[in-house]
Amino acid sequence: MTAAGSTAGAVHAEGDGGDRSGVRTALSGLTTRGRSFLAAGVAAAACAYVLGQSDLLRVGLLLAVLPLVCAAVLHRTRYRVAGSRRLSPGRVPAGSEARVHLRMENVSRLPTGLLMLQDRVPYVLGPRPRFVLDRVEAGGRREVSYRVRSDLRGRYPLGPLQLRLSDPFGMCELTRSFSTYDTLTVVPRVEPLPPVRLGGGAKGYGDGRQRALALAGEDDVIPRGYRYGDDLRRVHWRSTARYGELMVRREEQPQRARCTVLLDTRAVAYAGAGPDSAFEWAVSGAASVLTHMLERGFSVRLLTDTGTPVPGEGADGFAGAGQESADAAGLLMDALAVVDHSDAGGLSRAYDVLRGGHEGLLVAFLGDLDEEQAAVLARMRRRSGGALAFLLDSEAWGREPAGAPGAPDRRGQWLRMLREAGWTALGVPRGASLDELWRQADRERSGLAPASGGGTS
C-alpha cells in the first residue's frame, strides 16, 4: 500500500508478505470474532482427539483455519491497495481553507472488505479526518475529501495516511500507513495596497544613471573591456588606443527601481503571540508590501535583522514579469510563512547588508526600539532613496508599559528621531489597517517633500 503526493500518481509498494514479522503482524490483527473462532476450533480439535470423534475434528479444523486464512489473505491484500493525496491549493493565506482530496484504488483481483481511512493532520489544522469506505470491487476506486484551515502561518505536514483493512468475514483487521506525506504551506495574509507616490520610478523603472550617460559627451563615456559576442560597432577606439586593448561602450538599459523591506524579527522587540499579535501584523505587512511592489514592477528584497537572504534571491533581489514575478512572490511568501523570532539583539547585521549601496525605497516594520537601534536606523536612511517605517506600539498591542507611571513616551521619542533622520515614520496602533497607514504615509511624505523626484509605487 502506497501513497502519492499532490503531483504524483499512485505507486505500488514492493514487499514480502511471507516473512515472520508479517505473519505475527497479521495474527495480531485478529478481531474478537477471529480470536473466538480460533479458540473454538482449537478446543473442538482437542476434544475430538480425546473423544476420538473425526467429524468434530473436521469442524474444529474448519473453525481454526478460517481466521488464519482470512489473516493471510488480508496480509497479502495490503500490498494491492494504492492511494493518492492532492492539495487544492498547496499554498493558502492564513485564515483560508484548503481542500485535501484522497483517492483509494483497489488494484488487486479480489474485492476488499470494509475500509476505514484516517489521515494524520496537525492539531492546528482541525480534527483528524476519518472515513468509512464500503466494499471496493476489484479495480474499483473511491474518492473522499476534507477541508483544513489554520489561522497561524507555517508549513504543516499532512500524512502519512492510515488505512484499516478488514476481511469480508470480519475475522481480521490490519492498520497500515502510507509511506509519503504532503506539506501545506500557510502564508501570511496579504492586504491589497493602493498605488501611492513613495519613491522609485513611475512603473518600477528608473533611468537617472542612463540618462546621465546619454547626455554626456563621447569623452565622458566610461567604456569597458570587450567581451565575446559584443557588437564591433560599439568599439570605443579612443579608449582602445589609450588602454592597449579592445574597449566597448557600455549598453544603456533601463534600471529597475528597487525596494527593500526590512522586517524586525527580534524576540525582545515584540510581546504576545497568536494570529492577532504585533509580530504577525508586521509579517503580514511585509508580505503585503513585497507583493504590491512586485506587481508594480519593482525589484524587491526581503531583509531581516539577521541579515540572512531569502533562498533563491538574486544579487538585485527578486524581479520579473508574468510567471517570473509569480514565482518570486511564491518564494517570498514561503520564506515569510516560516519566519520566526530571532535571538538577535540589534539591527546592525541588517545595516551591514544595506551598506552595499543605494537601496531605492526602504520600508521597515519595527518592534520596540532603544536608543542604539534608533541610531542604526537613522544611519540606514542614508543608504536609501526613500524610507518608510511602521513602528509597532507595544503598549497598544497589549503589553503593559515598561516604565513607571508618568514615564516619557519612548515610542514618540523614536518616531521623532527617525523623522529627523529623514524617515517617514508612523506608529501602528492595535488593529490598524495597513491600507490606511499606507495612504497616511503618502500624505505625510507629500507634505514634507512634494512630488519632485517621487514616483508611483
Side-chain angles (χ1 to χ4, degrees), residues 267-292:
V268 297
Y270 298 94
D276 296 327
S277 64
F279 180 67
E280 293 302 321
W281 191 97
V283 174
S284 177
S288 302
V289 173
L290 288 168
T291 303
H292 175 72

Side-chain angles (χ1 to χ4, degrees), residues 24-42 63 67 170-172:
R24 287 196 298 267
T25 302
L27 293 177
S28 65
L30 289 176
T31 62
T32 302
R33 179 185 299 179
R35 295 177 187 273
S36 300
F37 266 67
L38 182 60
V42 172
L63 293 176
M171 297 289 180
C172 184

Side-chain angles (χ1 to χ4, degrees), residues 31 49 79 118 171 212 231 388 414 430 440:
T31 62
Y49 176 77
Y79 290 99
Q118 176 178 277
M171 297 289 180
D231 191 348
L388 171 60
W414 309 139
R430 183 179 180 85
Q440 181 182 348

